[in-house]
Amino acid sequence: MSSPEYYIKSYCLIRDGKVSKNGEILFSDDSEEFPAFIKSAYKHFETDYSKFFKMDNLSKLAFMGAEVLLCENEEQNTALVLSNRASSLDTDRKHQAAISKESGAFASPAVFVYTLPNICMGEISIRHKLYSENSFFIFAEFNPYLLSDYANDLLISGKANEVLCGWVDYDKGKYDAFLYVIAKKGMLPHNTGELTKLYRTK
Amino acid sequence: MSELKQELKEKIIEQLNLEDVSVDEIANDDPLFGEGLGLDSIDALELIVMLDKDYGIRLADPKEGRKIFESIDTMAAYIAANRTN
């Protein structure tokens, strides 16, 4: 379903060592490892939020994407609708390894709290003081159909004034984020064709 | 005792991912929670696990942590008196 009255207000891609917003590369880094890359991005954007370093990789990825899009966003009723393929598997494995040690199992509370993918939306909500609707979906691949339907429904029903949507996937060092804000005014029409085109942007 | 305090500062920075804090910046009597290092409830749980894993101390009541984790001074004193490894 497409909805001509809603628009893509802005979008952000984080992949291949680059952070871009609305097609413009804002930051790039040669770091091969995600932790080094995302730390460099954090410093580049002069993000002052020490709790960032306590997050797992998935939350850092989602947080940075939201930071790029919501840093100047004054709309408090912004719903969050995110999705990915790997859920929180990267952190799940760390937790499993910690509790499986034969020499003594000690679960880390700081790791355990991230063994759900929707925790990343909690981090975004805390940072941007959002008390809005949120949902996290697991798909085999980016699914613009369900995301657009869901976002439109939130806007039509009045449950949100804007929606931060997208794909934020992290597993085994590989990362891919495509986040976008849907609003009543914007730069591009909100439809599955446009979303697919933007997602496939290199 | 001063070695233990130094060790605790290093462990806290590493295990609680205090990226922008150095050992020199933590005074022995600084509050660890609230206005001091600003640790939160998950950090408190991590400290309880650390006591168990590294010093063989199991807190029967997590509320005991409030006094034990007031500062590096109080942590070091409690560990010195109760450690089993």
Side-chain angles (χ1 to χ4, degrees):
Chain A
M1 184 180 80
S2 63
S3 182
E5 63 264 55
Y6 298 123
Y7 295 86
I8 300 167
K9 184 177 173 183
S10 56
Y11 65 96
C12 169
L13 284 160
I14 304 179
R15 59 172 63 137
D16 301 327
K18 299 183 188 75
V19 179
S20 67
K21 181 182 181 184
N22 302 335
E24 180 189 353
I25 294 174
L26 303 180
F27 172 74
S28 65
D29 187 271
D30 293 333
S31 303
E32 290 185 6
E33 304 290 331
F34 176 78
F37 161 70
I38 206 71
K39 184 177 173 182
S40 297
Y42 171 91
K43 292 193 171 171
H44 173 80
F45 292 112
E46 299 179 345
T47 318
D48 184 18
Y49 195 69
S50 59
K51 300 243 168 173
F52 175 82
F53 296 104
K54 295 173 182 283
M55 297 178 196
D56 74 341
N57 289 317
L58 177 64
S59 287
K60 283 179 179 171
L61 182 60
F63 179 94
M64 193 52 66
E67 198 69 9
V68 168
L69 294 177
L70 301 182
C71 59
E72 295 170 359
N73 197 329
E74 295 178 356
E75 176 55 60
Q76 289 298 294
N77 191 10
T78 300
L80 304 176
V81 183
L82 300 183
S83 59
N84 75 5
R85 184 189 63 82
S87 184
S88 56
L89 199 52
D90 187 68
T91 301
D92 297 349
R93 286 196 197 94
K94 287 179 184 165
H95 177 60
Q96 185 182 31
I99 62 175
S100 303
K101 280 184 183 169
E102 289 184 7
S103 57
F106 287 95
S108 162
V111 171
F112 179 72
V113 292
Y114 289 102
T115 55
L116 283 172
N118 56 327
I119 301 303
C120 69
M121 297 190 298
E123 297 290 5
I124 294 169
S125 297
I126 293 167
R127 168 66 163 170
H128 297 282
K129 299 182 174 59
L130 303 177
Y131 299 91
S132 51
E133 294 278 331
N134 65 67
S135 297
F136 200 106
F137 296 95
I138 312 297
F139 301 129
E141 57 189 10
F142 176 60
N143 183 339
Y145 301 96
L146 189 141
L147 292 179
S148 61
D149 279 355
Y150 203 92
N152 286 344
D153 192 53
L154 286 168
L155 295 165
I156 291 166
S157 64
K159 288 184 176 173
N161 295 331
E162 295 187 0
V163 187
L164 173 70
C165 291
W167 177 259
V168 55
D169 195 44
Y170 183 94
D171 192 26
K172 295 181 179 173
K174 293 184 178 173
Y175 58 97
D176 186 29
F178 167 51
L179 301 182
Y180 52 92
V181 177
I182 304 303
K184 288 171 184 163
K185 292 180 182 176
M187 54 190 286
L188 296 165
H190 177 223
N191 59 53
T192 56
E194 200 67 51
L195 292 174
T196 302
K197 191 170 80 179
L198 293 177
Y199 175 67
R200 289 180 179 167
T201 303
K202 294 291 181 185
Chain B
M1 185 70 94
S2 64
E3 278 183 20
L4 176 58
K5 290 177 184 176
Q6 177 77 7
E7 179 182 296
L8 283 173
K9 290 176 187 176
E10 290 169 1
K11 282 179 187 286
I12 285 172
I13 288 171
E14 184 189 342
Q15 294 188 19
L16 304 187
N17 293 311
L18 303 181
E19 184 75 18
D20 297 324
V21 179
S22 68
V23 167
D24 297 338
E25 290 175 287
I26 307 175
N28 291 335
D29 58 353
D30 275 350
L32 298 181
F33 292 83
E35 293 175 2
L37 279 184
L39 303 187
D40 60 21
S41 55
I42 299 296
D43 294 323
L45 293 174
E46 281 291 332
L47 292 178
I48 290 172
V49 171
M50 189 177 88
L51 282 188
D52 189 0
K53 186 170 67 172
D54 296 347
Y55 303 103
I57 299 171
R58 286 200 172 183
L59 295 187
D61 180 2
K63 288 177 186 171
E64 288 181 76
R66 282 187 186 175
K67 288 213 161 197
I68 298 166
F69 301 137
E70 272 182 8
S71 67
I72 293 293
D73 278 337
T74 57
M75 270 189 86
Y78 186 81
I79 290 168
N82 295 279
R83 67 188 303 169
T84 60
N85 61 26

